[in-house]
Amino acid sequence: VCFFLVNTVFTACELGVFDVLHGAQRPLSAEQLSRQLEASVDGTERLLAACSGLQLLHTHRQEDGTVLYSNTEQASTYLTRSSPLSLCQSIQYYSRTIYLCWHHLTDAVREGRNQYEKAFGVSSQDLFEALYRSDEEMVKFMQLMNSVWNICGRDVVTAFDLSPFKVIYDLGGCSGALAKHCTSAYPECTVTIFDLPKVVQTSREHFVTAAEQRISFHEGDFFKDHLPEADLYILARILHDWTDERCIELLTRVYHACKPGGAVLVVEALLHEDGSGPLTVQFYSLNMLVQTEGRERTAAQYAALLAAAGFTDVQERRTGKIYDAVLGRKEA
């Protein structure tokens, strides 16, 4: 059932069903929609019926028996490209990239490693060379990150009071969505997005405008290049990409760069301490297997990684959303 559900949503978003209905500002029939979607009437009718069954569309039955369709509030909020909370880019990335890796889940479980080579014919020895194997793929990934933080970003940056930290580096800050939430929540801070040169260039061109004056950029590889001194470093959806050994390597570099009295904020989807859930995070951990070198972890496991790098007074905050926050401090 999940297979059918997911593919129905993928297809409706890719065709633009919810966008057309939103733009029409009135209910439309399957025939009217099919013309705008350049799709068959029969196929459109079946897709709309399934979307209605998923409670993504309202149905309006006319006296002549014609059925008209309109978006539910949920569909208008999350499944139209024009919505500030749109998940369309995220859904597209899942459909065209992640889903292809999941075709090889059996091999991933047997081999214990990601499946980029089988899915896309590219070497996965350098994880982000595989993830960013083309400009199009890089933009798609950045749009995915942008849509995630548009929904969850404010919750994670306000899980702790970060106002004492004035100079912030967002390592692997990607599209800058989390940086924007930081500067909005903490008017006295500045945030520097530290990321690979081609990511920084794309972020400047597509995501961060010159008007956002408290956000700046620093090009580099956080495993290889010098990390400038800061009060706070953010690692959001970074550590789950890597093995424990690589996490400790990165966190140790952050610890040495961090000002005394500073901290690191780790943002991740946290497993229950006994590993029994949440189910979404268990699925995410399987996704890390097919896509990366890493895994999802418990708060205690992240605390152990932070302690191994030298951080103390490690605390966690649950947001009630998908992503939670763990803060580790460097003694003054």
Side-chain angles (χ1 to χ4, degrees):
V1 173
C2 285
F3 172 86
F4 297 129
L5 185 157
V6 167
N7 278 280
T8 297
V9 177
F10 284 171
T11 299
C13 286
E14 187 168 346
L15 287 172
V17 168
F18 307 108
D19 296 310
V20 171
L21 287 170
H22 182 72
Q25 298 186 331
R26 61 184 177 85
L28 298 177
S29 68
E31 185 176 357
Q32 290 170 318
L33 268 165
S34 70
R35 285 198 297 270
Q36 294 199 49
L37 300 176
E38 297 182 348
S40 70
V41 176
D42 179 45
T44 302
E45 285 178 341
R46 300 188 202 201
L47 179 63
L48 296 176
C51 287
S52 175
L54 291 171
Q55 299 183 347
L56 298 174
L57 295 178
H58 293 302
T59 57
H60 313 268
R61 192 168 295 277
Q62 306 302 291
E63 290 183 2
D64 64 0
T66 302
V67 179
L68 304 182
Y69 297 88
S70 63
N71 288 339
T72 61
E73 183 179 353
Q74 185 182 41
S76 291
T77 302
Y78 297 112
L79 300 178
T80 59
R81 288 177 175 84
S82 60
S83 169
L85 298 178
S86 175
L87 289 173
C88 282
Q89 300 295 348
S90 186
I91 288 167
Q92 185 180 66
Y93 188 78
Y94 272 84
S95 172
R96 297 182 181 178
T97 300
I98 294 176
Y99 195 64
L100 296 180
C101 289
W102 273 69
H103 281 307
H104 303 282
L105 179 59
T106 302
D107 290 333
V109 171
R110 283 183 176 140
E111 299 166 12
R113 62 187 180 90
N114 73 59
Q115 297 296 305
Y116 264 93
E117 197 157 346
K118 287 179 183 152
F120 304 109
V122 296
S123 172
S124 59
Q125 288 185 334
D126 186 325
L127 173 60
F128 279 87
E129 282 300 316
L131 276 172
Y132 298 154
R133 60 194 176 277
S134 70
D135 289 345
E136 181 186 6
E137 277 300 308
M138 182 174 63
V139 171
K140 280 162 51 177
F141 180 79
M142 293 175 73
Q143 288 169 332
L144 165 67
M145 293 295 96
N146 210 55
S147 64
V148 167
W149 298 132
N150 282 343
I151 293 174
C152 304
R154 187 167 184 87
D155 295 279
V156 296
V157 301
T158 58
F160 294 93
D161 178 12
L162 304 180
S163 60
F165 307 113
K166 308 304 182 190
V167 179
I168 300 173
Y169 264 71
D170 186 1
L171 303 184
C174 200
S175 70
L178 210 55
K180 293 176 188 178
H181 283 294
C182 280
T183 55
S184 173
Y186 305 105
E188 295 182 5
C189 81
T190 61
V191 182
T192 301
I193 298 166
F194 187 107
D195 217 316
L196 298 171
K198 58 186 178 181
V199 177
V200 167
Q201 181 182 350
T202 304
S203 189
R204 286 183 192 273
E205 291 176 1
H206 298 284
F207 296 99
V208 179
T209 68
E212 280 137 346
Q213 297 180 358
R214 289 188 292 123
I215 298 175
S216 59
F217 294 91
H218 189 116
E219 296 181 359
D221 181 328
F222 50 54
F223 278 114
K224 298 175 182 176
D225 297 320
H226 171 71
L227 298 180
E229 186 179 69
D231 300 312
L232 177 72
Y233 298 86
I234 298 175
L235 291 167
R237 285 180 46 129
I238 300 296
L239 296 184
H240 75 165
D241 289 336
W242 305 101
T243 63
D244 287 356
E245 293 75 19
R246 291 285 268 167
C247 288
I248 293 170
E249 177 187 348
L250 176 56
L251 288 169
T252 301
R253 299 190 88 238
V254 171
Y255 180 82
H256 289 312
C258 188
K259 289 181 182 179
V264 60
L265 180 72
V266 173
V267 177
E268 296 287 359
L270 298 178
L271 286 164
H272 298 326
E273 290 303 326
D274 63 358
S276 63
L279 179 60
T280 300
V281 186
Q282 291 169 326
F283 284 145
Y284 283 179
S285 204
L286 275 177
N287 189 52
M288 292 300 99
L289 175 63
V290 297
Q291 276 209 288
T292 73
E293 298 177 11
R295 64 190 309 119
E296 305 299 350
R297 298 176 174 91
T298 66
Q301 288 171 327
Y302 282 116
L305 296 175
L306 287 161
F311 290 99
T312 60
D313 188 25
V314 177
Q315 302 174 53
E316 66 170 286
R317 292 282 189 278
R318 304 279 177 162
T319 66
K321 301 279 183 68
I322 296 173
Y323 294 100
D324 301 303
V326 179
L327 189 75
R329 298 180 183 272
K330 181 174 180 178
E331 292 182 356

